[in-house]
Amino acid sequence: LVEPAQSVVAILPDRYNSAMLAGDMGNAMLSLLTHCVGSLHIGSELVSVSKSFVACIKQSTKYQQNTVMYLAMSAFGACIYLSGRSNDEVDVKSYAELNQIGERKKLLALLYQNFFNQMSCYFWMGDYIKVVELSKKHKPTGQKRILEVMRTFFEGIASLTLARHTHQPNWRKTGEEALEKMMKWEKISKWNFEMRAKLLQAELHYLNGDLKSADVTYKASIASAREHKFTHYEALTCELYGIFCVENRMVDEGAKQLQMALDKYKQWGAMKKVEELQLQMDTVNPSSLRKFKIKK
């Protein structure tokens, strides 16, 4: 959690190679899997990440590392979904099938990965109701694992958005708690968590009606994501700032930010998201100041 996420991911191929040379297939496959999953979550280009997952699934199958194979399938499913690509290179089990395997073999890591990867898909597609509904079924682990941190962020953004649209206090509470946790993690690693903390803070400012502070903090979150080279989070911050602008009658600036988000999602390779966001952008008409609506 302390070191820049990109630098942690970058050393994993060397660990894989070292383990392979030593004949330690277990650690080799684990290093390969961790590199694939890490690449996905730091925002590496999804087509490239997909190819890495395919290699991981094939190798873990070859060396009979079944748990690694199942975990790779789980994350690969999210990668393929977001990229909008079809998969005809390897057989991949559905989340329902993977959950059955996890329950039968008592693979708690697989069950958690399945939950998280499904939540991740819902989050990036802006289906915040499904994010919080799925989250209710899975209790937090209480550990400081990176996936748990990301889960907190996803829940926080979803909850603050829902609070703004429904005015229900339970969503506000969840969002405020997420911000509190993220601000603590930001002190541990500004590189990894600053843009998340600032985006949560911007959403809370917006919920509170402090539009000036929200505007400043959205921009700070965008700058942080760009500085720390998280393409997917830069796309997200531009998207949410664009929504803020259009909903507050700054439609020209909002359209500009949404176009920037679209470009960054394309750079990430998330073509499923690109299609969804493009449909929403088609509803934005600067000349008539139409109200921009997000998917609830």
Side-chain angles (χ1 to χ4, degrees):
L1 296 178
V2 178
E3 296 296 323
Q6 294 92 336
S7 65
V8 174
V9 172
I11 66 174
L12 291 168
D14 287 340
R15 292 185 179 179
Y16 161 78
N17 289 330
S18 295
M20 287 294 287
L21 288 173
D24 186 351
M25 297 308 167
N27 278 326
M29 293 304 101
L30 186 59
S31 295
L32 182 56
L33 171 67
T34 306
H35 180 261
C36 292
V37 173
S39 297
L40 173 61
H41 295 314
I42 64 173
S44 298
E45 199 277 324
L46 290 176
V47 173
S48 176
V49 176
S50 295
K51 292 179 181 178
S52 296
F53 271 117
V54 169
C56 183
I57 292 170
K58 288 181 177 180
Q59 287 196 40
S60 56
T61 301
K62 176 181 178 180
Y63 295 114
Q64 299 181 329
Q65 299 293 318
N66 291 336
T67 299
V68 170
M69 178 187 67
Y70 295 139
L71 290 169
M73 286 182 179
S74 179
F76 181 51
C79 186
I80 285 294
Y81 175 79
L82 291 172
S83 70
R85 299 173 67 241
S86 59
N87 164 46
D88 55 7
E89 298 181 81
V90 289
D91 291 330
V92 176
K93 296 184 183 300
S94 67
Y95 284 122
E97 291 172 321
L98 290 171
N99 278 332
Q100 289 177 352
I101 292 170
E103 291 168 359
R104 186 174 67 251
K105 295 180 177 292
K106 301 187 185 306
L107 299 175
L108 298 182
L110 177 59
L111 293 172
Y112 189 85
Q113 283 278 353
N114 291 341
F115 149 70
F116 179 82
N117 290 320
Q118 287 179 282
M119 170 188 266
S120 181
C121 291
Y122 292 143
F123 176 80
W124 287 109
M125 296 305 295
D127 199 339
Y128 294 150
I129 288 291
K130 287 187 178 179
V131 169
V132 296
E133 287 178 345
L134 186 61
S135 181
K136 289 178 182 177
K137 300 176 182 179
H138 298 268
K139 293 182 179 180
T141 64
Q143 300 178 8
K144 293 183 179 179
R145 297 184 304 177
I146 188 61
L147 293 188
E148 196 72 3
V149 175
M150 293 172 65
R151 171 189 181 161
T152 297
F153 175 69
F154 291 167
E155 290 175 343
I157 293 295
S159 296
L160 290 171
T161 302
L162 291 171
R164 195 169 72 247
H165 287 277
T166 67
H167 307 291
Q168 294 182 14
N170 58 314
W171 300 132
R172 170 187 284 274
K173 181 180 178 181
T174 301
E176 289 175 340
E177 290 174 349
L179 174 58
E180 183 179 352
K181 291 178 182 178
M182 202 60 62
M183 290 177 70
K184 291 180 180 178
W185 286 320
E186 182 186 5
K187 293 178 181 178
I188 297 173
S189 175
K190 178 180 177 182
W191 184 285
N192 291 330
F193 305 120
E194 181 186 55
M195 72 287 188
R196 294 181 175 99
K198 289 191 179 300
L199 188 56
L200 286 165
Q201 184 67 72
E203 288 289 302
L204 183 58
H205 282 320
Y206 188 14
L207 175 60
N208 290 335
D210 186 352
L211 303 186
K212 183 176 180 180
S213 294
D215 187 88
V216 170
T217 314
Y218 278 122
K219 291 176 180 176
S221 181
I222 293 170
S224 179
R226 184 175 299 137
E227 177 186 357
H228 299 127
K229 300 176 174 56
F230 291 103
T231 302
H232 55 335
Y233 284 122
E234 185 179 350
L236 176 66
T237 52
C238 288
E239 178 187 3
L240 296 187
Y241 182 43
I243 291 171
F244 165 81
C245 289
V246 177
E247 289 184 338
N248 290 282
R249 301 182 68 79
M250 297 180 286
V251 180
D252 289 328
E253 179 62 24
K256 174 184 174 182
Q257 292 298 325
L258 291 170
Q259 184 59 54
M260 290 174 64
L262 194 71
D263 293 342
K264 287 298 174 179
Y265 281 127
K266 287 180 180 178
Q267 183 179 335
W268 184 26
M271 300 312 295
K272 179 80 171 177
K273 177 64 181 183
V274 167
E275 293 174 4
E276 185 266 350
L277 182 57
Q278 185 65 66
L279 287 174
Q280 294 193 39
M281 288 176 63
D282 289 342
T283 70
V284 179
N285 187 331
S287 63
S288 63
L289 293 177
R290 290 181 181 173
K291 183 174 178 58
F292 184 73
K293 297 184 181 297
I294 65 170
K295 183 186 295 182
K296 299 181 182 179

